[in-house]
Amino acid sequence: MEITIGNEGQFVVLFISGRIDTITSPQLQAAILKEFQTGKFLMLDFASVQYVSSAGLRALLIGQKTAASKGGAMELRNVSGMVMSVLDSVGFSKILTIK
Protein backbone atom coordinates (compact mmCIF):
# COMPACT_ATOMS: atom_id res chain seq x y z
CA MET A 1 0.00 0.00 0.00
CA GLU A 2 1.16 3.53 -0.79
CA ILE A 3 -0.18 6.81 0.53
CA THR A 4 0.40 10.22 -1.01
CA ILE A 5 -0.87 13.44 0.50
CA GLY A 6 -2.56 16.39 -1.15
CA ASN A 7 -4.89 19.27 -0.27
CA GLU A 8 -8.29 20.26 -1.60
CA GLY A 9 -9.83 23.25 0.11
CA GLN A 10 -10.06 22.59 3.83
CA PHE A 11 -9.46 18.85 3.35
CA VAL A 12 -6.17 17.02 3.49
CA VAL A 13 -6.46 14.19 0.96
CA LEU A 14 -4.80 10.83 1.40
CA PHE A 15 -4.51 9.10 -1.98
CA ILE A 16 -4.30 5.42 -1.11
CA SER A 17 -3.28 2.67 -3.51
CA GLY A 18 -3.04 -1.07 -3.05
CA ARG A 19 -4.50 -3.41 -0.46
CA ILE A 20 -5.48 -2.39 3.06
CA ASP A 21 -4.94 -5.55 5.11
CA THR A 22 -3.42 -6.75 8.37
CA ILE A 23 0.07 -5.80 7.24
CA THR A 24 -0.72 -2.34 5.80
CA SER A 25 -3.57 -1.13 8.03
CA PRO A 26 -1.21 0.17 10.77
CA GLN A 27 0.36 2.44 8.14
CA LEU A 28 -3.07 3.78 7.16
CA GLN A 29 -4.13 4.26 10.78
CA ALA A 30 -0.91 6.14 11.56
CA ALA A 31 -1.38 8.40 8.51
CA ILE A 32 -4.99 9.17 9.49
CA LEU A 33 -4.10 9.97 13.10
CA LYS A 34 -1.11 12.07 12.05
CA GLU A 35 -3.29 14.29 9.85
CA PHE A 36 -5.84 14.74 12.64
CA GLN A 37 -3.08 16.07 14.92
CA THR A 38 -2.97 19.29 12.89
CA GLY A 39 -6.26 19.35 11.00
CA LYS A 40 -9.93 18.47 11.31
CA PHE A 41 -10.93 17.53 7.76
CA LEU A 42 -9.62 14.46 5.99
CA MET A 43 -10.54 12.87 2.67
CA LEU A 44 -9.46 9.32 1.80
CA ASP A 45 -9.31 8.72 -1.94
CA PHE A 46 -9.92 5.00 -2.54
CA ALA A 47 -9.70 5.09 -6.36
CA SER A 48 -6.72 2.70 -6.31
CA VAL A 49 -7.75 0.50 -3.37
CA GLN A 50 -8.67 -3.03 -4.44
CA TYR A 51 -9.22 -4.67 -1.05
CA VAL A 52 -10.00 -3.81 2.57
CA SER A 53 -9.75 -6.39 5.37
CA SER A 54 -11.25 -6.23 8.85
CA ALA A 55 -8.00 -4.66 10.06
CA GLY A 56 -8.46 -1.91 7.46
CA LEU A 57 -12.04 -1.40 8.60
CA ARG A 58 -10.75 -0.91 12.14
CA ALA A 59 -8.41 1.85 10.91
CA LEU A 60 -11.35 3.57 9.20
CA LEU A 61 -13.48 3.32 12.34
CA ILE A 62 -10.70 4.84 14.45
CA GLY A 63 -10.41 7.66 11.90
CA GLN A 64 -14.15 8.29 11.99
CA LYS A 65 -14.18 8.41 15.80
CA THR A 66 -11.17 10.73 15.84
CA ALA A 67 -12.84 13.09 13.37
CA ALA A 68 -16.00 13.18 15.48
CA SER A 69 -14.03 13.86 18.67
CA LYS A 70 -12.35 16.86 17.01
CA GLY A 71 -15.57 18.25 15.53
CA GLY A 72 -14.20 17.50 12.07
CA ALA A 73 -14.95 15.12 9.24
CA MET A 74 -13.45 12.14 7.48
CA GLU A 75 -14.81 11.27 4.05
CA LEU A 76 -14.13 8.50 1.57
CA ARG A 77 -14.39 9.00 -2.17
CA ASN A 78 -13.94 6.95 -5.33
CA VAL A 79 -14.77 3.71 -3.53
CA SER A 80 -14.84 0.72 -5.90
CA GLY A 81 -17.83 -1.60 -6.08
CA MET A 82 -15.89 -4.41 -4.42
CA VAL A 83 -14.79 -2.28 -1.47
CA MET A 84 -18.26 -0.73 -1.23
CA SER A 85 -19.81 -4.19 -0.93
CA VAL A 86 -17.54 -4.88 2.06
CA LEU A 87 -18.50 -1.56 3.66
CA ASP A 88 -22.18 -2.31 3.05
CA SER A 89 -22.01 -5.84 4.41
CA VAL A 90 -20.59 -4.73 7.77
CA GLY A 91 -22.75 -1.60 8.06
CA PHE A 92 -19.88 0.86 7.65
CA SER A 93 -21.58 2.56 4.73
CA LYS A 94 -24.08 3.89 7.28
CA ILE A 95 -21.46 5.33 9.66
CA LEU A 96 -18.83 6.59 7.21
CA THR A 97 -19.30 9.54 4.87
CA ILE A 98 -18.83 8.17 1.36
CA LYS A 99 -18.88 10.52 -1.64
Side-chain angles (χ1 to χ4, degrees):
M1 180 185 72
E2 291 186 22
I3 300 173
T4 55
I5 301 172
N7 288 295
E8 291 181 17
Q10 64 183 359
F11 280 87
V12 171
V13 182
L14 299 182
F15 296 92
I16 305 160
S17 63
R19 296 170 51 92
I20 304 172
D21 55 25
T22 304
I23 295 169
T24 60
S25 64
Q27 179 186 355
L28 175 60
Q29 182 175 324
I32 290 170
L33 294 177
K34 179 182 178 198
E35 294 307 323
F36 277 126
Q37 288 177 358
T38 56
K40 294 182 2 179
F41 300 99
L42 183 63
M43 176 76 67
L44 305 179
D45 190 304
F46 269 45
S48 298
V49 174
Q50 302 92 17
Y51 173 81
V52 177
S53 73
S54 59
L57 294 175
R58 180 178 183 275
L60 295 177
L61 184 60
I62 288 170
Q64 182 65 31
K65 288 183 175 185
T66 303
S69 74
K70 294 187 162 283
M74 184 180 85
E75 299 179 0
L76 279 66
R77 71 176 181 197
N78 300 321
V79 178
S80 71
M82 180 182 289
V83 172
M84 192 66 189
S85 68
V86 172
L87 297 176
D88 284 337
S89 69
V90 296
F92 274 42
S93 60
K94 294 178 182 171
I95 61 172
L96 298 174
T97 303
I98 303 171
K99 301 277 180 164

